Short mmCIF file of all heavy atoms in Angstrom, two decimals:
data_model
loop_
_atom_site.label_atom_id
_atom_site.label_comp_id
_atom_site.label_asym_id
_atom_site.label_seq_id
_atom_site.Cartn_x
_atom_site.Cartn_y
_atom_site.Cartn_z
N GLY A 291 23.16 0.43 -6.63
CA GLY A 291 24.05 -0.10 -5.61
C GLY A 291 23.99 0.81 -4.31
O GLY A 291 24.76 0.48 -3.40
N ASP A 292 23.13 1.82 -4.36
CA ASP A 292 23.03 2.66 -3.21
C ASP A 292 22.16 2.03 -2.08
O ASP A 292 22.29 2.57 -0.92
CB ASP A 292 22.50 3.97 -3.54
CG ASP A 292 23.32 4.75 -4.60
OD1 ASP A 292 24.55 4.61 -4.46
OD2 ASP A 292 22.87 5.47 -5.43
N LEU A 293 21.24 1.12 -2.42
CA LEU A 293 20.43 0.53 -1.40
C LEU A 293 20.63 -1.01 -1.55
O LEU A 293 19.81 -1.80 -2.18
CB LEU A 293 19.01 0.90 -1.70
CG LEU A 293 18.61 2.39 -1.79
CD1 LEU A 293 17.12 2.69 -2.13
CD2 LEU A 293 18.85 2.94 -0.37
N PRO A 294 21.72 -1.51 -0.88
CA PRO A 294 21.99 -2.93 -1.06
C PRO A 294 20.89 -3.97 -0.46
O PRO A 294 20.73 -5.04 -1.05
CB PRO A 294 23.33 -3.01 -0.29
CG PRO A 294 23.29 -1.93 0.66
CD PRO A 294 22.65 -0.85 -0.09
N THR A 295 20.29 -3.48 0.60
CA THR A 295 19.20 -4.36 1.11
C THR A 295 18.12 -4.55 0.05
O THR A 295 17.59 -5.72 -0.16
CB THR A 295 18.70 -3.80 2.44
OG1 THR A 295 19.68 -3.69 3.37
CG2 THR A 295 17.51 -4.73 2.97
N PHE A 296 17.63 -3.53 -0.56
CA PHE A 296 16.48 -3.60 -1.62
C PHE A 296 17.05 -4.34 -2.76
O PHE A 296 16.37 -5.06 -3.44
CB PHE A 296 16.00 -2.27 -1.94
CG PHE A 296 14.95 -1.73 -0.95
CD1 PHE A 296 15.32 -1.05 0.09
CD2 PHE A 296 13.67 -2.13 -1.09
CE1 PHE A 296 14.36 -0.65 1.06
CE2 PHE A 296 12.65 -1.73 -0.19
CZ PHE A 296 13.09 -0.97 0.85
N ALA A 297 18.30 -4.22 -3.18
CA ALA A 297 18.92 -4.94 -4.25
C ALA A 297 18.84 -6.45 -3.92
O ALA A 297 18.45 -7.24 -4.82
CB ALA A 297 20.29 -4.55 -4.51
N ALA A 298 19.22 -6.80 -2.69
CA ALA A 298 19.16 -8.19 -2.34
C ALA A 298 17.73 -8.78 -2.25
O ALA A 298 17.50 -9.87 -2.66
CB ALA A 298 19.84 -8.39 -1.00
N LEU A 299 16.80 -7.88 -1.78
CA LEU A 299 15.44 -8.36 -1.77
C LEU A 299 14.87 -8.71 -3.12
O LEU A 299 14.24 -9.64 -3.34
CB LEU A 299 14.52 -7.34 -1.11
CG LEU A 299 14.68 -7.03 0.35
CD1 LEU A 299 13.93 -5.74 0.68
CD2 LEU A 299 14.16 -8.20 1.17
N ALA A 300 15.23 -7.90 -4.14
CA ALA A 300 14.69 -8.10 -5.48
C ALA A 300 15.40 -9.37 -6.10
O ALA A 300 14.83 -10.16 -6.89
CB ALA A 300 15.06 -6.94 -6.33
N GLU A 301 16.70 -9.60 -5.81
CA GLU A 301 17.46 -10.73 -6.31
C GLU A 301 17.04 -11.99 -5.63
O GLU A 301 16.92 -13.03 -6.31
CB GLU A 301 19.03 -10.45 -6.03
CG GLU A 301 19.80 -11.63 -6.65
CD GLU A 301 21.33 -11.36 -6.36
OE1 GLU A 301 21.61 -10.25 -5.91
OE2 GLU A 301 22.00 -12.30 -6.58
N ARG A 302 16.78 -12.01 -4.30
CA ARG A 302 16.51 -13.23 -3.53
C ARG A 302 14.95 -13.62 -3.43
O ARG A 302 14.65 -14.67 -3.08
CB ARG A 302 17.07 -13.08 -2.09
CG ARG A 302 18.57 -13.02 -2.04
CD ARG A 302 19.00 -12.60 -0.64
NE ARG A 302 18.23 -13.29 0.40
CZ ARG A 302 17.96 -12.72 1.54
NH1 ARG A 302 18.34 -11.55 1.86
NH2 ARG A 302 17.27 -13.41 2.42
N GLY A 303 14.17 -12.55 -3.75
CA GLY A 303 12.77 -12.83 -3.52
C GLY A 303 11.87 -12.30 -4.71
O GLY A 303 12.31 -12.25 -5.82
N THR A 304 10.62 -11.99 -4.30
CA THR A 304 9.65 -11.57 -5.32
C THR A 304 9.18 -10.11 -5.15
O THR A 304 9.12 -9.70 -4.01
CB THR A 304 8.32 -12.51 -5.20
OG1 THR A 304 8.74 -13.98 -5.56
CG2 THR A 304 7.17 -12.11 -6.06
N VAL A 305 8.98 -9.44 -6.19
CA VAL A 305 8.61 -8.08 -6.17
C VAL A 305 7.20 -7.93 -6.80
O VAL A 305 7.07 -8.47 -7.85
CB VAL A 305 9.53 -7.13 -6.83
CG1 VAL A 305 9.10 -5.69 -6.68
CG2 VAL A 305 10.95 -7.27 -6.26
N ALA A 306 6.25 -7.39 -6.09
CA ALA A 306 4.81 -7.18 -6.60
C ALA A 306 4.58 -5.70 -6.77
O ALA A 306 4.76 -4.90 -5.82
CB ALA A 306 3.87 -7.89 -5.66
N ARG A 307 4.08 -5.33 -7.90
CA ARG A 307 3.51 -4.03 -8.18
C ARG A 307 2.08 -4.06 -7.74
O ARG A 307 1.36 -4.90 -8.25
CB ARG A 307 3.69 -3.70 -9.63
CG ARG A 307 3.37 -2.25 -9.97
CD ARG A 307 3.39 -1.94 -11.44
NE ARG A 307 3.14 -0.62 -11.74
CZ ARG A 307 4.22 0.27 -12.07
NH1 ARG A 307 5.48 -0.18 -12.03
NH2 ARG A 307 3.96 1.50 -12.24
N LEU A 308 1.65 -3.05 -6.97
CA LEU A 308 0.36 -3.13 -6.33
C LEU A 308 -0.53 -2.05 -6.72
O LEU A 308 -0.06 -0.79 -6.81
CB LEU A 308 0.49 -3.12 -4.78
CG LEU A 308 1.38 -4.21 -4.13
CD1 LEU A 308 1.44 -3.93 -2.56
CD2 LEU A 308 0.85 -5.58 -4.46
N GLY A 309 -1.77 -2.33 -7.13
CA GLY A 309 -2.71 -1.26 -7.34
C GLY A 309 -3.27 -0.75 -6.11
O GLY A 309 -2.92 -1.29 -5.01
N ASN A 310 -3.88 0.41 -6.10
CA ASN A 310 -4.37 1.07 -4.85
C ASN A 310 -5.46 2.04 -5.08
O ASN A 310 -6.02 2.16 -6.27
CB ASN A 310 -3.22 1.81 -4.25
CG ASN A 310 -2.45 2.69 -5.08
OD1 ASN A 310 -3.13 3.43 -5.88
ND2 ASN A 310 -1.17 2.66 -5.16
N SER A 311 -5.89 2.76 -4.09
CA SER A 311 -6.97 3.69 -4.24
C SER A 311 -6.45 5.21 -4.30
O SER A 311 -7.18 6.10 -3.87
CB SER A 311 -7.96 3.62 -3.04
OG SER A 311 -8.69 2.42 -3.19
N MET A 312 -5.18 5.39 -4.66
CA MET A 312 -4.59 6.65 -4.60
C MET A 312 -5.22 7.67 -5.61
O MET A 312 -4.98 8.86 -5.42
CB MET A 312 -3.08 6.54 -4.89
CG MET A 312 -2.27 5.87 -3.77
SD MET A 312 -2.38 6.68 -2.21
CE MET A 312 -1.56 8.26 -2.53
N GLU A 313 -5.98 7.21 -6.57
CA GLU A 313 -6.67 8.11 -7.38
C GLU A 313 -8.17 8.24 -7.18
O GLU A 313 -8.88 8.70 -7.88
CB GLU A 313 -6.45 7.84 -8.87
CG GLU A 313 -4.93 8.11 -9.32
CD GLU A 313 -4.74 8.01 -10.74
OE1 GLU A 313 -5.47 7.25 -11.45
OE2 GLU A 313 -3.89 8.78 -11.31
N LYS A 314 -8.55 7.61 -5.95
CA LYS A 314 -9.91 7.71 -5.49
C LYS A 314 -9.98 8.26 -4.10
O LYS A 314 -10.56 9.40 -3.88
CB LYS A 314 -10.51 6.19 -5.56
CG LYS A 314 -10.66 5.76 -7.06
CD LYS A 314 -11.17 4.31 -7.16
CE LYS A 314 -10.19 3.30 -6.76
NZ LYS A 314 -10.61 1.89 -6.98
N LEU A 315 -9.52 7.53 -3.12
CA LEU A 315 -9.51 7.97 -1.71
C LEU A 315 -8.12 7.79 -1.12
O LEU A 315 -7.84 6.77 -0.33
CB LEU A 315 -10.56 7.13 -0.97
CG LEU A 315 -11.99 7.30 -1.39
CD1 LEU A 315 -12.93 6.37 -0.60
CD2 LEU A 315 -12.53 8.79 -1.10
N PRO A 316 -7.18 8.52 -1.50
CA PRO A 316 -5.75 8.32 -1.18
C PRO A 316 -5.42 8.36 0.32
O PRO A 316 -4.43 7.58 0.74
CB PRO A 316 -4.96 9.44 -1.88
CG PRO A 316 -6.06 10.53 -2.10
CD PRO A 316 -7.33 9.78 -2.32
N GLY A 317 -6.20 9.08 1.10
CA GLY A 317 -5.93 9.17 2.52
C GLY A 317 -6.20 7.94 3.28
O GLY A 317 -5.84 7.78 4.48
N GLY A 318 -6.81 6.96 2.67
CA GLY A 318 -7.10 5.62 3.30
C GLY A 318 -6.23 4.49 2.88
O GLY A 318 -6.45 3.32 3.07
N ILE A 319 -4.94 4.84 2.42
CA ILE A 319 -4.12 3.81 1.90
C ILE A 319 -3.69 2.87 2.97
O ILE A 319 -3.68 1.58 2.69
CB ILE A 319 -2.82 4.47 1.22
CG1 ILE A 319 -1.88 3.41 0.65
CG2 ILE A 319 -2.14 5.32 2.16
CD1 ILE A 319 -2.41 2.70 -0.64
N TRP A 320 -3.36 3.35 4.15
CA TRP A 320 -2.97 2.41 5.20
C TRP A 320 -3.99 1.50 5.75
O TRP A 320 -3.70 0.33 5.98
CB TRP A 320 -2.21 3.25 6.30
CG TRP A 320 -0.75 3.46 5.97
CD1 TRP A 320 -0.19 4.63 5.69
CD2 TRP A 320 0.30 2.46 5.86
NE1 TRP A 320 1.10 4.47 5.38
CE2 TRP A 320 1.44 3.20 5.47
CE3 TRP A 320 0.35 1.14 5.95
CZ2 TRP A 320 2.70 2.52 5.27
CZ3 TRP A 320 1.64 0.49 5.81
CH2 TRP A 320 2.67 1.14 5.46
N PRO A 321 -5.23 1.94 6.04
CA PRO A 321 -6.25 1.05 6.41
C PRO A 321 -6.47 -0.02 5.46
O PRO A 321 -6.65 -1.20 5.76
CB PRO A 321 -7.51 1.94 6.49
CG PRO A 321 -6.99 3.29 6.98
CD PRO A 321 -5.64 3.42 6.20
N GLU A 322 -6.29 0.25 4.08
CA GLU A 322 -6.48 -0.82 3.13
C GLU A 322 -5.32 -1.73 3.17
O GLU A 322 -5.52 -3.00 3.04
CB GLU A 322 -6.56 -0.23 1.70
CG GLU A 322 -7.95 0.36 1.48
CD GLU A 322 -8.31 0.38 -0.07
OE1 GLU A 322 -7.46 0.62 -0.88
OE2 GLU A 322 -9.49 0.26 -0.37
N VAL A 323 -4.05 -1.29 3.36
CA VAL A 323 -2.93 -2.17 3.44
C VAL A 323 -2.95 -3.06 4.64
O VAL A 323 -2.78 -4.27 4.53
CB VAL A 323 -1.67 -1.30 3.55
CG1 VAL A 323 -0.41 -2.19 3.92
CG2 VAL A 323 -1.34 -0.55 2.26
N MET A 324 -3.44 -2.49 5.80
CA MET A 324 -3.37 -3.21 7.03
C MET A 324 -4.62 -4.07 7.33
O MET A 324 -4.58 -4.87 8.30
CB MET A 324 -3.00 -2.28 8.21
CG MET A 324 -1.60 -1.61 8.07
SD MET A 324 -0.27 -2.79 8.06
CE MET A 324 1.12 -1.74 8.49
N THR A 325 -5.64 -3.81 6.63
CA THR A 325 -6.89 -4.58 6.97
C THR A 325 -7.24 -5.55 5.79
O THR A 325 -7.99 -6.53 6.02
CB THR A 325 -8.12 -3.71 7.24
OG1 THR A 325 -8.48 -3.08 6.07
CG2 THR A 325 -7.75 -2.67 8.33
N GLY A 326 -6.92 -5.26 4.57
CA GLY A 326 -7.40 -6.00 3.44
C GLY A 326 -8.80 -5.67 3.10
O GLY A 326 -9.46 -6.55 2.32
N ARG A 327 -9.33 -4.67 3.65
CA ARG A 327 -10.76 -4.35 3.41
C ARG A 327 -10.90 -3.09 2.63
O ARG A 327 -10.23 -2.00 2.93
CB ARG A 327 -11.61 -4.24 4.74
CG ARG A 327 -11.67 -5.59 5.37
CD ARG A 327 -12.15 -5.51 6.90
NE ARG A 327 -12.36 -6.73 7.51
CZ ARG A 327 -11.44 -7.50 8.03
NH1 ARG A 327 -10.18 -7.16 8.07
NH2 ARG A 327 -11.87 -8.75 8.55
N SER A 328 -11.72 -3.05 1.53
CA SER A 328 -11.80 -1.84 0.71
C SER A 328 -12.49 -0.64 1.42
O SER A 328 -13.36 -0.72 2.25
CB SER A 328 -12.76 -2.27 -0.55
OG SER A 328 -13.07 -1.17 -1.22
N LEU A 329 -12.02 0.53 1.05
CA LEU A 329 -12.53 1.72 1.50
C LEU A 329 -13.98 1.96 1.06
O LEU A 329 -14.70 2.75 1.54
CB LEU A 329 -11.69 2.92 1.01
CG LEU A 329 -10.24 3.09 1.53
CD1 LEU A 329 -9.51 4.09 0.76
CD2 LEU A 329 -10.24 3.29 3.00
N GLY A 330 -14.33 1.22 0.04
CA GLY A 330 -15.78 1.37 -0.32
C GLY A 330 -16.79 0.75 0.69
O GLY A 330 -17.96 1.03 0.70
N ARG A 331 -16.24 -0.20 1.50
CA ARG A 331 -16.98 -0.86 2.57
C ARG A 331 -16.70 -0.28 3.89
O ARG A 331 -17.57 -0.20 4.78
CB ARG A 331 -16.66 -2.37 2.57
CG ARG A 331 -17.26 -3.12 1.39
CD ARG A 331 -17.35 -4.64 1.57
NE ARG A 331 -16.01 -5.11 1.93
CZ ARG A 331 -15.71 -5.64 3.20
NH1 ARG A 331 -16.56 -5.54 4.15
NH2 ARG A 331 -14.52 -6.14 3.40
N VAL A 332 -15.49 0.03 4.21
CA VAL A 332 -14.99 0.56 5.47
C VAL A 332 -14.35 1.91 5.18
O VAL A 332 -13.11 1.98 5.09
CB VAL A 332 -14.06 -0.38 6.18
CG1 VAL A 332 -13.82 0.11 7.63
CG2 VAL A 332 -14.62 -1.82 6.29
N PRO A 333 -15.13 3.02 5.04
CA PRO A 333 -14.65 4.19 4.41
C PRO A 333 -13.77 5.09 5.45
O PRO A 333 -14.25 6.20 5.87
CB PRO A 333 -15.87 4.95 4.00
CG PRO A 333 -16.88 4.52 4.96
CD PRO A 333 -16.53 3.06 5.23
N LEU A 334 -12.62 4.64 5.78
CA LEU A 334 -11.75 5.36 6.61
C LEU A 334 -10.74 6.26 5.72
O LEU A 334 -9.56 5.96 5.66
CB LEU A 334 -10.90 4.49 7.55
CG LEU A 334 -11.81 3.49 8.46
CD1 LEU A 334 -10.92 2.56 9.14
CD2 LEU A 334 -12.65 4.27 9.39
N TYR A 335 -11.36 7.22 4.99
CA TYR A 335 -10.57 7.82 3.93
C TYR A 335 -9.84 9.12 4.26
O TYR A 335 -9.04 9.56 3.52
CB TYR A 335 -11.51 8.00 2.65
CG TYR A 335 -12.55 8.94 2.85
CD1 TYR A 335 -12.30 10.36 2.53
CD2 TYR A 335 -13.84 8.56 3.20
CE1 TYR A 335 -13.30 11.32 2.66
CE2 TYR A 335 -14.90 9.54 3.28
CZ TYR A 335 -14.58 10.85 3.04
OH TYR A 335 -15.67 11.83 3.13
N TYR A 336 -10.26 9.79 5.33
CA TYR A 336 -9.61 11.10 5.66
C TYR A 336 -9.78 11.18 7.19
O TYR A 336 -10.63 11.86 7.71
CB TYR A 336 -10.25 12.20 4.92
CG TYR A 336 -9.29 13.41 4.90
CD1 TYR A 336 -8.18 13.42 4.14
CD2 TYR A 336 -9.54 14.58 5.69
CE1 TYR A 336 -7.31 14.52 4.11
CE2 TYR A 336 -8.68 15.58 5.67
CZ TYR A 336 -7.50 15.67 4.94
OH TYR A 336 -6.73 16.69 4.99
N HIS A 337 -8.81 10.70 7.89
CA HIS A 337 -8.86 10.64 9.38
C HIS A 337 -8.93 12.04 10.00
O HIS A 337 -9.65 12.21 11.08
CB HIS A 337 -7.71 9.93 9.91
CG HIS A 337 -7.78 8.38 9.78
ND1 HIS A 337 -7.82 7.76 8.52
CD2 HIS A 337 -7.93 7.40 10.61
CE1 HIS A 337 -7.96 6.51 8.67
NE2 HIS A 337 -8.02 6.23 9.99
#
């Protein structure tokens, strides 16, 4: 009950658990989130 907005999001909507490259190229997490393109093809892994 400490985060009512997130409680409402889970109740009113859908929650997805997402895989990532955090055990491969963790520094490129945001380019993958925001482009939908794998670090294996667009290797922006350590700015």
Side-chain angles (χ1 to χ4, degrees):
D292 297 328
L293 302 176
T295 300
F296 276 92
L299 288 168
E301 180 180 353
R302 293 169 42 210
T304 295
V305 183
R307 187 186 187 99
L308 304 178
N310 52 45
S311 292
M312 290 301 296
E313 291 190 328
K314 294 179 283 189
L315 296 173
I319 182 73
W320 276 111
E322 286 206 327
V323 170
M324 297 300 201
T325 71
R327 292 166 173 85
S328 168
L329 294 171
R331 292 195 301 110
V332 188
L334 305 173
Y335 67 87
Y336 198 75
H337 285 66

